[in-house]
Amino acid sequence: MRGRLVIICCAVAFVTACGDDQDPERAAALWDRLVAERYTEWSRAPGYETPVPSRNAHGTEVILYLNDQAEEDLATPGLREWSDGALIVKDGFRRDRLWLIAAMEKRDGEWFWAEWKASGRTLYSGAPTLCTGCHAIGDDFVRGLFLPE
């Protein structure tokens, strides 16, 4: 029993401590921008006005925030992909506490992903396979929202 507990604790520590921080400078700059712009005062995505149950890696409940460009994209019928400048931020909660913040920003036709612990410590940045693999099934890599038809 004790051996199993040690293995479980090591596995949890490994998963939560390791990441794929491909572009730490850009992740730090994006974090500073989100804090400066008070992203939690941005519009909440439709259907995410309050925490929504989630079964993914971002927490047990999530809230999505949209910058002006992402909000404009959602109001543009027929858009096939998100516009450059679109920025979507997800707060992930566990046990009713902010656990992590994830963001994806479209620049030059490509998405930049970043994920931080609630403290601001970067876990993932760039285009980590963990992010791109999961998000590949979404409309232009966005899983929680659909582009208007």
Side-chain angles (χ1 to χ4, degrees):
M1 179 67 173
R2 193 160 145 157
R4 283 187 191 162
L5 183 59
V6 169
I7 291 170
I8 291 169
C9 289
C10 288
V12 168
F14 176 77
V15 169
T16 58
C18 295
D20 189 359
D21 193 4
Q22 299 172 0
D23 194 341
E25 290 177 7
R26 188 168 172 191
L30 182 55
W31 174 262
D32 291 344
R33 180 175 152 207
L34 294 177
V35 170
E37 291 184 18
R38 298 180 186 170
Y39 77 91
T40 58
E41 295 177 9
W42 294 356
S43 296
R44 292 186 182 192
Y48 293 88
E49 293 82 4
T50 59
V52 173
S54 175
R55 293 186 194 154
N56 66 33
H58 298 289
T60 55
E61 293 183 314
V62 297
I63 296 176
L64 295 182
Y65 302 92
L66 307 173
N67 75 347
D68 291 341
Q69 184 61 60
E71 193 173 18
E72 183 179 316
D73 285 357
L74 278 181
T76 305
L79 205 60
R80 298 262 186 238
E81 66 180 46
W82 296 84
S83 301
D84 279 352
L87 177 55
I88 302 167
V89 181
K90 179 186 287 184
D91 280 350
F93 298 88
R94 282 200 173 164
R95 295 182 197 95
D96 298 323
R97 293 181 57 178
L98 182 61
W99 179 57
L100 62 78
I101 298 97
M104 48 190 306
E105 180 180 33
K106 189 92 177 257
R107 288 282 175 216
D108 300 320
E110 302 289 330
W111 286 105
F112 174 79
W113 278 272
E115 184 174 280
W116 306 268
K117 295 299 278 179
S119 65
R121 183 175 60 87
T122 306
L123 298 171
Y124 297 92
S125 69
T129 304
L130 183 66
C131 301
T132 59
C134 190
H135 280 257
I137 66 170
D139 281 358
D140 188 26
F141 289 92
V142 177
R143 291 191 58 179
L145 303 168
F146 300 99
L147 290 167
E149 295 185 12

